[in-house]
Amino acid sequence: MKAVRLVEPGRPLELRDVPIPSPGPHDVLVRVRAAGICHSDAHYRAGKSRVHPLPLTLGHEVAGLVELAGAEVKNFRPGDRVCVHYLATCGDCAFCRGNNEQFCPHGEMIGKYRDGGYAEFILMPARSVFSLPDAIPFPQGAIMMCSSATSLHALSKARLCTGETVAVFGVGGLGMSAIQLAKALGAGAVFAVDINPRKLELAERFGAVPLNANDIEPVAVIQDLTQGRGVDVALELIGLPLTMQQAVRSLAIKGRAALVGITDKTFPVAPYQEIINKEAEIIGVSDHLAREIPLLTDLVASRKLDLSNVVTRSVPLTAPAINDTLDQLEKFGNDVRVVVEP
Ligand SMILES: [Zn+2]
Ligand SMILES: [Zn+2]
C-alpha cells in the first residue's frame, strides 16, 4: 500500500510502498478515508518532537471503514464506519483498567510511535476503534479525534456543571471546540479571550463573549462581567505563562483552572489569595480518553459541536500535497484544517 512517511527529521515526508499490515486476533484493519493534517505533524517533520522508530507513517487523526477484523473482535465487521482513538494501548495495565489509558506504559501514539493514517490502511487494537455515525462525514470524523477530543477532556477534568461560567484562553482549533462543547454541556456565560479579532468574531458566533486582550485586561473585565465572582472554569489552551496566570486569577470561589497548553516555563501563583482562600484548583490535562469518544461523536452528529466549516479542503495521499500543507501550517499557524483523502 501507499504510505507517506517521515524518513528523516528535518526532511520532507516521502511516499513509500509498504506491506498492508495483517490484524492479530484483537486488531482491526481500517481503510483510511480521511486523515487530518495537524500542526503537531509539522513539529514531527521538523524534528522538534521525537518520532520513533523511523521511517514511520505520520497522521494521528483518522476515520475510515473497517476492512478486516481479527478473530476475537466481536463489535466490528468489514464495512463499518469508524474513527480511531490515537493511542494504541495494552488494555491490561492498571492505567488501562482504570480508564486512564493515556498513562499506559505500553501506549503508542499513532503517527508518532507506530504507523499512522497517511496511508491506505491503518492497523489498530479494536479497543481504540469507535463507531462513526453516518451523520458525521469522514473528514470531520478524523479531525475531531485530536483537538475536539482534548477540549472535551479538559471540560470533563474541570468538572463543568450546568449553569457554570467558563473562560477560554486561546480560541484556535481547541478553543472553538471548547466554546461549543461548554455550551452543549450547559455552561452559562462563556468568555473567549484572544488577541485575534477574526477568531474572536467566530467565537462570538458560537455564543461566547469575546474579550480582546490587546484592548482590555481580561481578568479585570471577567471580574466585572461576573459581578466580582470570577468564573467557575478557566481553560488555558495556549501554553503561555501570562495566560496561565490570567486563567488562575480569573477563578471564582471553588473555581477550576484546567491547563492544556504546553510550556516549559513557570508562572507565579499567589497561594493564599488565588488558591487556598478560594479552594480553587489548578488541573493538568493530558490528551483525552477513549471512553469520552462516544459522547464526542454524539455531540458532533447532533451538530451541538459544529465542525462543518472547520475542514477547509482535502488533498490526495501524495508526499508533495502533504508537505505543502505542513509548510503552510508552519507559516500560518493552526488556521488551516486540511485532510488527506486517500
Ligand atoms: Zn492533531
Ligand atoms: Zn496499558
Side-chain angles (χ1 to χ4, degrees):
M1 66 170 183
K2 289 194 289 180
V4 173
R5 314 191 87 192
L6 181 65
V7 177
E8 196 189 325
R11 291 186 43 79
L13 306 185
E14 294 177 27
L15 182 72
R16 292 289 170 94
D17 201 33
V18 298
I20 297 175
S22 50
H26 300 280
D27 295 331
V28 170
L29 181 70
V30 176
R31 178 183 289 272
V32 177
R33 292 294 304 274
I37 302 179
C38 181
H39 203 247
S40 317
D41 296 323
H43 291 310
Y44 301 158
R45 185 185 63 168
K48 288 182 193 165
S49 315
R50 185 165 179 263
V51 174
H52 182 83
L54 294 177
L56 191 103
T57 307
L58 299 194
H60 56 266
E61 307 175 359
V62 183
L65 294 168
V66 172
E67 181 77 10
L68 275 175
E72 300 295 322
V73 177
K74 305 283 180 246
N75 51 337
F76 291 111
R77 284 192 302 181
D80 286 350
R81 300 176 90 254
V82 292
C83 51
V84 174
H85 176 49
Y86 63 42
L87 274 180
T89 52
C90 79
D92 204 35
C93 70
F95 290 116
C96 282
R97 279 185 275 120
N99 281 325
N100 290 299
E101 76 281 347
Q102 77 269 53
F103 305 112
C104 172
H106 313 288
E108 291 173 329
M109 182 173 169
I110 58 171
K112 195 169 194 296
Y113 298 119
R114 64 186 270 153
D115 284 329
Y118 298 166
E120 292 173 88
F121 298 96
I122 182 170
L123 185 72
M124 280 306 272
R127 68 182 160 275
S128 299
V129 177
F130 291 84
S131 289
L132 184 69
D134 290 339
I136 306 177
F138 289 112
Q140 292 179 33
I143 60 157
M144 71 179 190
M145 299 308 286
C146 184
S147 57
S148 304
T150 301
S151 296
L152 183 61
H153 184 54
L155 290 166
S156 139
K157 289 288 295 177
R159 310 188 303 277
L160 174 68
C161 294
T162 310
E164 289 193 322
T165 49
V166 179
V168 178
F169 291 82
V171 288
L174 276 167
M176 253 14 125
S177 285
I179 292 165
Q180 295 182 66
L181 289 168
K183 286 281 179 191
L185 298 173
V190 177
F191 303 99
V193 183
D194 207 289
I195 54 172
N196 180 324
R198 209 168 45 80
K199 289 180 183 172
L200 286 168
E201 221 170 87
L202 187 57
E204 192 173 12
R205 256 192 278 155
F206 287 130
V209 178
L211 302 178
N212 190 328
N214 270 340
D215 306 332
I216 49 109
E217 206 291 297
V219 177
V221 173
I222 287 170
Q223 293 293 344
D224 269 3
L225 294 174
T226 55
Q227 291 76 45
R229 282 186 71 246
V231 288
D232 300 301
V233 169
L235 302 186
E236 204 284 342
L237 307 176
I238 307 169
L240 284 178
L242 173 68
T243 39
M244 289 181 176
Q245 192 181 20
Q246 289 171 339
V248 171
R249 290 177 56 208
S250 61
L251 292 179
I253 288 171
K254 296 274 183 186
R256 289 88 63 202
L259 305 186
V260 182
I262 297 170
T263 178
D264 53 10
K265 302 197 174 67
T266 59
F267 71 95
V269 177
Y272 180 70
Q273 295 94 318
E274 292 171 5
I275 302 291
I276 298 166
N277 185 39
K278 295 180 182 175
E279 290 202 342
E281 296 169 56
I282 299 175
I283 298 167
V285 179
S286 180
D287 289 324
H288 52 266
L289 300 175
R291 73 185 148 97
E292 293 164 339
I293 289 165
L295 173 60
L296 184 65
T297 52
D298 280 356
L299 291 166
V300 177
S302 62
R303 291 287 193 116
K304 286 181 181 152
L305 174 58
D306 180 5
L307 298 175
S308 59
N309 53 12
V310 177
V311 179
T312 46
R313 72 193 161 88
S314 52
V315 296
L317 179 64
T318 68
I322 296 174
N323 283 313
D324 282 354
T325 307
L326 293 173
D327 294 344
Q328 286 184 39
L329 282 167
E330 278 174 341
K331 272 183 239 151
F332 305 114
N334 269 323
D335 290 19
V336 200
R337 287 314 319 232
V338 178
V339 297
V340 181
E341 291 190 85

